[in-house]
Amino acid sequence: MIEKATLFFASWELFREAALSGAIAGFMLGLLGVYVVLRRMVFLSAALSQTAGLGVATAFLLAAWGTPAWIASPTLGAVAASLLTVYLLTRGNDRHVSRDSLLGAAFLLGSAGTIAIGSRIPQELHDVQTLLLGSAVAVSPEGFRLIVVTGIATVIWHAWWWRGFAAVTVDRDDAAVRGLPTRGLAILLLVSIAVAVSVTTRVLGALPAFAFSVIPAVAALRLAPNIPGALTIAAIIGAVGGFGGYFLAYLLDFPVGASQTILCVAMLAVVFAVKR
Amino acid sequence: MSDALLTTSELEVGYGGRAFLPPLNWQVRRGEIWAVIGPNGGGKTTILRTVLGLNSAVGGRVKPSAGLRIGYVPQRETLDSAVPARVCDVVRSGADRGWSFLRPARLVHDHAALERAMDDTDVRRIRTHSYRALSEGQKQRVLMARALVGDPSLLVLDEPTSAMDLTAEGALFELVRQLVEGRDLSVIVVSHHLGVLARYATHALLVDKDEELLLAGSVDEIAASRECVERFGHVLMAARRESA
């Protein structure tokens, strides 16, 4: 085991992009997950990852039909489909239709649409799955750059705007009375979550994207004395889950996405055991 | 009329484009304490939310005075118990107005206001306590401090004492009275507890959507009105006499 661990760091060039992608995605989605959990929208990231898959599948189909590459970009398709989902959720959310129902419909449309369009993509099923949902095992240089740029932009934005995002998450009515642009803040928060989830889904896969955006936040909300503390702790747990999960997967020959998810759950279990 | 903080003109409140009360023409002036009273489900909170801009008006308009700052104390349990926050965090969160959340230095500038709000509501000694571990009375004081940290001229309280016993309730209204005097505040408060309201309020707005009734005036006028006596007997009048 120690030999294998030594070999991992000796061969760092081989694993660097995938391992760091997991850490960056975990940090970014861990932070955003605090808002996801506090707004009771844990299935938002599940729905977004599925609709992102539909966007990627549509891009591949368009490419197969000869559409120019800049239009048929899988990343563009993932982000566009996620943003469209957010738009429909914000437009369609009223007192007659619960947000859960809308998220369920988006999840099902994404899943069924991806399977249906995936059957028309001229690749093997395994390749299609990798193309649609990414692979945490090997991350391309383009995918790594995408994760780095999205991660840095998201963290800087949220470090600057956190008081506004927290205000609309914790007590939207009070924020509105104080004149904060609550609707704009709520939409921008969802947009940042949609972009982060779709990029992570595209590069690493749906399972780690969902895990990073829920589990670290649940643990952090148990530990932290306040929201800035929760944002920081969730980001750190997410980063440890992303990097450590990749490392464990290498050591134990586990699938990477599952290993990252299980490590996050293990950290959550420790937090619950320590802080009952 | 230059001391009017808030004026409503032909304001119609309701849901789905249908007004359920007559148009409201109302003025809240400096130093007044308005009690919004009426039966359960009578439309008190809907009026309050419409005046605050949280619900869309069916018709008419609300005109705040220039630069009016409103402090809002919502109904209890508005803050989710999953939210991690110490008392000082909750109070500080009331400091931002408009786009000020974009200025990191704002936190430093608000320090004096934060201390004053916690002193005025007597929550400084529990400033590091977790908000979710507090009693209902303490929570309401903390929410009051949050509303005060932005230095408002109008304080709006929506059923602030619904989860309190009589002692805590009396203490909270006594705090409101002190704040009105110490901070030159006006207050609008929604509550069911007529006895306590009658002791502290200067004016009352009687609301009953089932009877399409809206009646505004001094507490003495409302207490003596036929509409009030029909609904509440002489409770308001008796409490008024007792406090006098």
Side-chain angles (χ1 to χ4, degrees):
Chain A
M1 190 74 83
I2 293 171
E3 263 180 40
K4 209 168 177 184
T6 311
L7 187 61
F8 178 86
F9 290 105
S11 316
W12 176 241
E13 289 293 311
L14 281 177
F15 307 118
R16 182 184 60 199
E17 285 166 350
L20 290 182
S21 292
I24 294 167
F27 192 92
M28 167 176 71
L29 286 178
L31 183 153
L32 296 176
V34 171
Y35 300 111
V36 171
V37 172
L38 284 179
R39 292 168 74 94
R40 300 185 186 281
M41 296 177 73
V42 292
F43 287 106
L44 174 69
S45 49
L48 286 174
S49 63
Q50 291 304 315
T51 52
L54 177 58
V56 174
T58 306
F60 281 121
L61 189 65
L62 290 174
W65 287 348
T67 308
W70 66 272
I71 295 177
S73 155
T75 303
L76 183 65
V79 173
S82 299
L83 293 179
L84 181 62
T85 306
V86 164
Y87 173 76
L88 294 174
L89 284 175
T90 54
R91 297 293 298 172
N93 195 9
D94 64 27
R95 74 177 76 179
H96 302 299
V97 185
S98 74
R99 193 162 51 190
D100 276 356
S101 310
L102 291 171
L103 287 175
F107 179 90
L108 291 168
L109 175 66
S111 311
T114 304
I115 293 168
I117 292 179
S119 70
R120 295 289 183 271
I121 299 174
Q123 263 105 2
E124 294 296 322
L125 185 61
H126 178 267
D127 294 337
V128 170
Q129 285 297 320
T130 304
L131 288 169
L132 289 179
L133 299 176
S135 164
V137 180
V139 172
S140 67
E142 295 77 31
F144 181 59
R145 276 196 292 275
L146 189 61
I147 281 277
V148 169
V149 169
T150 309
I152 289 173
T154 302
V155 171
I156 289 174
W157 186 17
H158 278 264
W160 183 18
W161 286 47
W162 79 266
R163 275 156 46 207
F165 290 139
V168 294
T169 299
V170 170
D171 190 346
R172 189 166 173 168
D173 283 351
D174 178 59
V177 170
R178 288 186 281 117
L180 272 72
T182 50
R183 182 163 172 75
L185 281 166
I187 290 172
L188 286 175
L189 179 58
L190 286 179
V191 165
S192 69
I193 292 168
V195 170
V197 167
S198 56
V199 165
T200 305
T201 301
R202 171 77 186 107
V203 177
L204 297 182
L207 181 62
F210 186 31
F212 292 152
S213 58
V214 175
I215 299 166
V218 175
L221 288 168
R222 193 100 174 171
L223 289 175
N226 55 16
I227 289 185
L231 294 170
T232 308
I233 294 170
I236 291 169
I237 291 176
V240 170
F243 183 89
Y246 188 88
F247 183 58
L248 284 179
Y250 172 82
L251 287 183
L252 305 171
D253 287 329
F254 277 153
V256 174
S259 176
Q260 289 168 326
T261 302
I262 289 168
L263 181 58
C264 287
V265 173
M267 286 189 278
L268 176 65
V270 170
V271 168
F272 270 64
V274 171
K275 190 138 184 177
R276 286 172 188 276
Chain B
M1 296 298 168
S2 59
D3 60 346
L5 294 178
L6 190 81
T7 305
T8 69
S9 306
E10 297 295 313
L11 181 70
E12 293 182 278
V13 304
Y15 287 114
R18 284 191 58 186
F20 55 55
L21 285 167
L24 173 64
N25 293 294
W26 187 33
Q27 273 199 336
V28 178
R29 297 187 184 85
R30 196 169 294 280
E32 291 177 345
I33 302 179
W34 278 86
V36 183
I37 59 175
N40 280 338
K44 303 186 292 295
T45 293
T46 309
I47 281 195
L48 199 69
R49 292 181 62 83
T50 308
V51 167
L52 290 172
L54 299 173
N55 287 6
S56 300
V58 175
R61 66 191 190 119
V62 179
K63 189 182 169 201
S65 64
L68 175 67
R69 294 162 78 92
I70 298 176
Y72 176 51
V73 182
Q75 292 185 14
R76 70 192 181 100
E77 304 300 341
T78 301
L79 287 194
D80 192 330
S81 61
V83 175
R86 296 164 303 179
V87 166
C88 56
D89 298 316
V90 175
V91 178
R92 188 181 287 118
S93 72
D96 278 318
R97 296 210 167 241
W99 290 85
S100 72
F101 63 87
L102 295 178
R103 298 200 302 270
R106 169 107 194 173
L107 285 177
V108 178
H109 294 145
D110 287 334
H111 189 70
L114 178 74
E115 296 296 320
R116 186 182 172 212
M118 289 197 292
D119 282 340
D120 284 357
T121 51
D122 194 25
V123 297
R124 188 203 274 264
R125 65 199 156 77
I126 54 168
R127 61 184 300 159
T128 56
H129 290 206
S130 169
Y131 175 80
R132 50 192 168 197
L134 302 179
S135 70
E136 290 300 331
Q138 287 174 319
K139 282 181 181 173
Q140 216 59 12
R141 280 176 176 272
V142 173
L143 293 179
M144 192 94 85
R146 182 183 72 169
L148 292 174
V149 77
D151 196 20
S153 42
L154 176 63
L155 191 61
V156 178
L157 303 98
D158 189 2
E159 302 201 27
T161 59
S162 57
M164 292 182 192
D165 58 33
L166 275 175
T167 309
E169 184 187 20
L172 191 83
F173 275 101
E174 183 56 31
L175 171 64
V176 170
R177 190 189 61 74
Q178 288 169 8
L179 292 172
V180 169
E181 290 174 2
R183 286 179 170 253
D184 192 21
L185 278 174
S186 300
V187 175
I188 303 173
V189 54
V190 172
S191 179
H192 291 106
H193 300 192
L194 297 180
V196 182
L197 282 176
R199 200 171 305 148
Y200 294 99
T202 59
H203 293 74
L205 180 65
L206 176 58
V207 184
D208 187 348
K209 75 175 182 191
D210 291 339
E211 303 288 335
E212 296 192 5
L213 172 70
L214 261 180
L215 203 59
S218 71
V219 171
D220 291 327
E221 287 169 355
I222 298 298
S225 69
R226 177 179 51 82
E227 291 86 349
C228 184
V229 172
E230 277 175 4
R231 282 162 182 79
F232 306 116
H234 295 282
V235 175
L236 207 58
M237 186 75 84
R240 197 72 184 157
R241 282 196 190 120
E242 190 181 321
S243 66

PDB file of all heavy atoms in Angstrom, chain B residues 73-96:
ATOM      1  N   VAL B  73     -39.338  42.968  11.738  1.00  0.00           N
ATOM      2  CA  VAL B  73     -39.225  41.818  12.635  1.00  0.00           C
ATOM      3  C   VAL B  73     -40.293  40.817  12.209  1.00  0.00           C
ATOM      4  O   VAL B  73     -41.483  41.045  12.430  1.00  0.00           O
ATOM      5  CB  VAL B  73     -39.426  42.224  14.111  1.00  0.00           C
ATOM      6  CG1 VAL B  73     -39.244  41.024  15.029  1.00  0.00           C
ATOM      7  CG2 VAL B  73     -38.446  43.323  14.498  1.00  0.00           C
ATOM      8  N   PRO B  74     -39.887  39.728  11.567  1.00  0.00           N
ATOM      9  CA  PRO B  74     -40.872  38.784  11.024  1.00  0.00           C
ATOM     10  C   PRO B  74     -41.480  37.899  12.104  1.00  0.00           C
ATOM     11  O   PRO B  74     -41.073  37.934  13.265  1.00  0.00           O
ATOM     12  CB  PRO B  74     -40.048  37.944  10.055  1.00  0.00           C
ATOM     13  CG  PRO B  74     -38.674  37.963  10.643  1.00  0.00           C
ATOM     14  CD  PRO B  74     -38.518  39.296  11.318  1.00  0.00           C
ATOM     15  N   GLN B  75     -42.443  37.096  11.687  1.00  0.00           N
ATOM     16  CA  GLN B  75     -43.018  36.108  12.600  1.00  0.00           C
ATOM     17  C   GLN B  75     -41.921  35.145  13.029  1.00  0.00           C
ATOM     18  O   GLN B  75     -40.941  34.956  12.329  1.00  0.00           O
ATOM     19  CB  GLN B  75     -44.143  35.335  11.913  1.00  0.00           C
ATOM     20  CG  GLN B  75     -45.351  36.192  11.614  1.00  0.00           C
ATOM     21  CD  GLN B  75     -46.506  35.382  11.048  1.00  0.00           C
ATOM     22  OE1 GLN B  75     -46.512  34.173  11.114  1.00  0.00           O
ATOM     23  NE2 GLN B  75     -47.483  36.078  10.500  1.00  0.00           N
ATOM     24  N   ARG B  76     -42.123  34.518  14.175  1.00  0.00           N
ATOM     25  CA  ARG B  76     -41.127  33.576  14.689  1.00  0.00           C
ATOM     26  C   ARG B  76     -40.937  32.422  13.713  1.00  0.00           C
ATOM     27  O   ARG B  76     -41.762  32.188  12.837  1.00  0.00           O
ATOM     28  CB  ARG B  76     -41.561  33.032  16.051  1.00  0.00           C
ATOM     29  CG  ARG B  76     -42.753  32.108  15.965  1.00  0.00           C
ATOM     30  CD  ARG B  76     -43.337  31.832  17.313  1.00  0.00           C
ATOM     31  NE  ARG B  76     -44.450  30.926  17.159  1.00  0.00           N
ATOM     32  CZ  ARG B  76     -44.389  29.631  17.381  1.00  0.00           C
ATOM     33  NH1 ARG B  76     -43.271  29.087  17.738  1.00  0.00           N
ATOM     34  NH2 ARG B  76     -45.456  28.871  17.217  1.00  0.00           N
ATOM     35  N   GLU B  77     -39.862  31.708  13.874  1.00  0.00           N
ATOM     36  CA  GLU B  77     -39.515  30.553  13.035  1.00  0.00           C
ATOM     37  C   GLU B  77     -39.251  30.943  11.588  1.00  0.00           C
ATOM     38  O   GLU B  77     -39.258  30.101  10.707  1.00  0.00           O
ATOM     39  CB  GLU B  77     -40.607  29.465  13.069  1.00  0.00           C
ATOM     40  CG  GLU B  77     -40.956  28.958  14.446  1.00  0.00           C
ATOM     41  CD  GLU B  77     -39.781  28.344  15.172  1.00  0.00           C
ATOM     42  OE1 GLU B  77     -38.803  27.986  14.523  1.00  0.00           O
ATOM     43  OE2 GLU B  77     -39.844  28.265  16.406  1.00  0.00           O
ATOM     44  N   THR B  78     -39.039  32.238  11.347  1.00  0.00           N
ATOM     45  CA  THR B  78     -38.676  32.628   9.990  1.00  0.00           C
ATOM     46  C   THR B  78     -37.272  32.149   9.662  1.00  0.00           C
ATOM     47  O   THR B  78     -36.988  31.737   8.543  1.00  0.00           O
ATOM     48  CB  THR B  78     -38.745  34.159   9.851  1.00  0.00           C
ATOM     49  OG1 THR B  78     -40.069  34.564  10.156  1.00  0.00           O
ATOM     50  CG2 THR B  78     -38.397  34.607   8.444  1.00  0.00           C
ATOM     51  N   LEU B  79     -36.401  32.214  10.673  1.00  0.00           N
ATOM     52  CA  LEU B  79     -35.036  31.726  10.465  1.00  0.00           C
ATOM     53  C   LEU B  79     -35.012  30.213  10.657  1.00  0.00           C
ATOM     54  O   LEU B  79     -35.349  29.710  11.720  1.00  0.00           O
ATOM     55  CB  LEU B  79     -34.075  32.380  11.454  1.00  0.00           C
ATOM     56  CG  LEU B  79     -33.708  33.833  11.225  1.00  0.00           C
ATOM     57  CD1 LEU B  79     -32.503  34.213  12.067  1.00  0.00           C
ATOM     58  CD2 LEU B  79     -33.418  34.109   9.774  1.00  0.00           C
ATOM     59  N   ASP B  80     -34.622  29.521   9.613  1.00  0.00           N
ATOM     60  CA  ASP B  80     -34.534  28.060   9.632  1.00  0.00           C
ATOM     61  C   ASP B  80     -33.539  27.620  10.710  1.00  0.00           C
ATOM     62  O   ASP B  80     -32.448  28.191  10.822  1.00  0.00           O
ATOM     63  CB  ASP B  80     -34.042  27.613   8.245  1.00  0.00           C
ATOM     64  CG  ASP B  80     -34.179  26.136   8.040  1.00  0.00           C
ATOM     65  OD1 ASP B  80     -34.090  25.386   9.029  1.00  0.00           O
ATOM     66  OD2 ASP B  80     -34.372  25.726   6.889  1.00  0.00           O
ATOM     67  N   SER B  81     -33.923  26.605  11.487  1.00  0.00           N
ATOM     68  CA  SER B  81     -33.021  26.149  12.546  1.00  0.00           C
ATOM     69  C   SER B  81     -31.760  25.498  11.976  1.00  0.00           C
ATOM     70  O   SER B  81     -30.793  25.276  12.705  1.00  0.00           O
ATOM     71  CB  SER B  81     -33.746  25.159  13.458  1.00  0.00           C
ATOM     72  OG  SER B  81     -34.138  24.043  12.708  1.00  0.00           O
ATOM     73  N   ALA B  82     -31.752  25.203  10.675  1.00  0.00           N
ATOM     74  CA  ALA B  82     -30.542  24.630  10.069  1.00  0.00           C
ATOM     75  C   ALA B  82     -29.474  25.698   9.829  1.00  0.00           C
ATOM     76  O   ALA B  82     -28.314  25.368   9.592  1.00  0.00           O
ATOM     77  CB  ALA B  82     -30.890  23.960   8.742  1.00  0.00           C
ATOM     78  N   VAL B  83     -29.868  26.956   9.874  1.00  0.00           N
ATOM     79  CA  VAL B  83     -28.905  28.032   9.593  1.00  0.00           C
ATOM     80  C   VAL B  83     -27.984  28.207  10.801  1.00  0.00           C
ATOM     81  O   VAL B  83     -28.453  28.478  11.907  1.00  0.00           O
ATOM     82  CB  VAL B  83     -29.627  29.363   9.309  1.00  0.00           C
ATOM     83  CG1 VAL B  83     -28.613  30.494   9.131  1.00  0.00           C
ATOM     84  CG2 VAL B  83     -30.509  29.234   8.082  1.00  0.00           C
ATOM     85  N   PRO B  84     -26.664  28.062  10.595  1.00  0.00           N
ATOM     86  CA  PRO B  84     -25.766  28.270  11.724  1.00  0.00           C
ATOM     87  C   PRO B  84     -25.524  29.768  11.904  1.00  0.00           C
ATOM     88  O   PRO B  84     -25.137  30.454  10.965  1.00  0.00           O
ATOM     89  CB  PRO B  84     -24.480  27.558  11.280  1.00  0.00           C
ATOM     90  CG  PRO B  84     -24.492  27.652   9.796  1.00  0.00           C
ATOM     91  CD  PRO B  84     -25.928  27.719   9.361  1.00  0.00           C
ATOM     92  N   ALA B  85     -25.772  30.281  13.090  1.00  0.00           N
ATOM     93  CA  ALA B  85     -25.549  31.710  13.315  1.00  0.00           C
ATOM     94  C   ALA B  85     -25.474  31.977  14.809  1.00  0.00           C
ATOM     95  O   ALA B  85     -26.287  31.460  15.578  1.00  0.00           O
ATOM     96  CB  ALA B  85     -26.665  32.525  12.689  1.00  0.00           C
ATOM     97  N   ARG B  86     -24.501  32.796  15.177  1.00  0.00           N
ATOM     98  CA  ARG B  86     -24.476  33.298  16.544  1.00  0.00           C
ATOM     99  C   ARG B  86     -25.345  34.546  16.589  1.00  0.00           C
ATOM    100  O   ARG B  86     -25.694  35.099  15.544  1.00  0.00           O
ATOM    101  CB  ARG B  86     -23.044  33.642  16.946  1.00  0.00           C
ATOM    102  CG  ARG B  86     -22.108  32.437  16.981  1.00  0.00           C
ATOM    103  CD  ARG B  86     -20.659  32.885  17.006  1.00  0.00           C
ATOM    104  NE  ARG B  86     -20.375  33.735  15.843  1.00  0.00           N
ATOM    105  CZ  ARG B  86     -19.201  34.296  15.593  1.00  0.00           C
ATOM    106  NH1 ARG B  86     -18.197  34.117  16.402  1.00  0.00           N
ATOM    107  NH2 ARG B  86     -19.033  35.038  14.516  1.00  0.00           N
ATOM    108  N   VAL B  87     -25.636  34.981  17.802  1.00  0.00           N
ATOM    109  CA  VAL B  87     -26.481  36.167  17.949  1.00  0.00           C
ATOM    110  C   VAL B  87     -25.885  37.353  17.184  1.00  0.00           C
ATOM    111  O   VAL B  87     -26.581  38.045  16.433  1.00  0.00           O
ATOM    112  CB  VAL B  87     -26.647  36.502  19.450  1.00  0.00           C
ATOM    113  CG1 VAL B  87     -27.214  37.898  19.642  1.00  0.00           C
ATOM    114  CG2 VAL B  87     -27.546  35.448  20.110  1.00  0.00           C
ATOM    115  N   CYS B  88     -24.566  37.573  17.338  1.00  0.00           N
ATOM    116  CA  CYS B  88     -23.948  38.727  16.669  1.00  0.00           C
ATOM    117  C   CYS B  88     -24.025  38.592  15.147  1.00  0.00           C
ATOM    118  O   CYS B  88     -24.134  39.606  14.444  1.00  0.00           O
ATOM    119  CB  CYS B  88     -22.511  38.918  17.124  1.00  0.00           C
ATOM    120  SG  CYS B  88     -21.471  37.477  16.889  1.00  0.00           S
ATOM    121  N   ASP B  89     -24.005  37.368  14.625  1.00  0.00           N
ATOM    122  CA  ASP B  89     -24.120  37.183  13.174  1.00  0.00           C
ATOM    123  C   ASP B  89     -25.512  37.575  12.684  1.00  0.00           C
ATOM    124  O   ASP B  89     -25.654  38.209  11.641  1.00  0.00           O
ATOM    125  CB  ASP B  89     -23.857  35.716  12.789  1.00  0.00           C
ATOM    126  CG  ASP B  89     -22.454  35.267  13.160  1.00  0.00           C
ATOM    127  OD1 ASP B  89     -21.508  36.019  12.910  1.00  0.00           O
ATOM    128  OD2 ASP B  89     -22.328  34.159  13.723  1.00  0.00           O
ATOM    129  N   VAL B  90     -26.528  37.161  13.450  1.00  0.00           N
ATOM    130  CA  VAL B  90     -27.903  37.499  13.050  1.00  0.00           C
ATOM    131  C   VAL B  90     -28.089  39.018  13.073  1.00  0.00           C
ATOM    132  O   VAL B  90     -28.637  39.606  12.134  1.00  0.00           O
ATOM    133  CB  VAL B  90     -28.934  36.823  13.981  1.00  0.00           C
ATOM    134  CG1 VAL B  90     -30.342  37.281  13.643  1.00  0.00           C
ATOM    135  CG2 VAL B  90     -28.833  35.313  13.887  1.00  0.00           C
ATOM    136  N   VAL B  91     -27.607  39.654  14.127  1.00  0.00           N
ATOM    137  CA  VAL B  91     -27.785  41.104  14.240  1.00  0.00           C
ATOM    138  C   VAL B  91     -27.041  41.808  13.101  1.00  0.00           C
ATOM    139  O   VAL B  91     -27.584  42.683  12.428  1.00  0.00           O
ATOM    140  CB  VAL B  91     -27.291  41.621  15.612  1.00  0.00           C
ATOM    141  CG1 VAL B  91     -27.446  43.130  15.703  1.00  0.00           C
ATOM    142  CG2 VAL B  91     -28.069  40.937  16.736  1.00  0.00           C
ATOM    143  N   ARG B  92     -25.807  41.396  12.854  1.00  0.00           N
ATOM    144  CA  ARG B  92     -24.997  42.029  11.814  1.00  0.00           C
ATOM    145  C   ARG B  92     -25.640  41.880  10.437  1.00  0.00           C
ATOM    146  O   ARG B  92     -25.519  42.757   9.587  1.00  0.00           O
ATOM    147  CB  ARG B  92     -23.597  41.415  11.804  1.00  0.00           C
ATOM    148  CG  ARG B  92     -22.625  42.135  10.889  1.00  0.00           C
ATOM    149  CD  ARG B  92     -21.260  41.488  10.869  1.00  0.00           C
ATOM    150  NE  ARG B  92     -20.523  41.736  12.087  1.00  0.00           N
ATOM    151  CZ  ARG B  92     -20.114  40.785  12.924  1.00  0.00           C
ATOM    152  NH1 ARG B  92     -20.369  39.531  12.665  1.00  0.00           N
ATOM    153  NH2 ARG B  92     -19.446  41.079  14.004  1.00  0.00           N
ATOM    154  N   SER B  93     -26.359  40.779  10.230  1.00  0.00           N
ATOM    155  CA  SER B  93     -26.940  40.539   8.897  1.00  0.00           C
ATOM    156  C   SER B  93     -27.990  41.586   8.536  1.00  0.00           C
ATOM    157  O   SER B  93     -28.356  41.707   7.372  1.00  0.00           O
ATOM    158  CB  SER B  93     -27.558  39.129   8.836  1.00  0.00           C
ATOM    159  OG  SER B  93     -28.748  39.080   9.609  1.00  0.00           O
ATOM    160  N   GLY B  94     -28.456  42.350   9.521  1.00  0.00           N
ATOM    161  CA  GLY B  94     -29.448  43.385   9.212  1.00  0.00           C
ATOM    162  C   GLY B  94     -28.841  44.694   8.752  1.00  0.00           C
ATOM    163  O   GLY B  94     -29.562  45.642   8.445  1.00  0.00           O
ATOM    164  N   ALA B  95     -27.513  44.760   8.699  1.00  0.00           N
ATOM    165  CA  ALA B  95     -26.859  46.045   8.416  1.00  0.00           C
ATOM    166  C   ALA B  95     -26.902  46.423   6.939  1.00  0.00           C
ATOM    167  O   ALA B  95     -26.899  47.597   6.596  1.00  0.00           O
ATOM    168  CB  ALA B  95     -25.422  46.002   8.900  1.00  0.00           C
ATOM    169  N   ASP B  96     -26.916  45.420   6.056  1.00  0.00           N
ATOM    170  CA  ASP B  96     -26.854  45.735   4.622  1.00  0.00           C
ATOM    171  C   ASP B  96     -28.156  46.302   4.106  1.00  0.00           C
ATOM    172  O   ASP B  96     -29.240  45.815   4.454  1.00  0.00           O
ATOM    173  CB  ASP B  96     -26.482  44.468   3.832  1.00  0.00           C
ATOM    174  CG  ASP B  96     -24.992  44.226   3.835  1.00  0.00           C
ATOM    175  OD1 ASP B  96     -24.237  45.209   3.677  1.00  0.00           O
ATOM    176  OD2 ASP B  96     -24.579  43.069   4.025  1.00  0.00           O
TER     177      ASP B  96
END
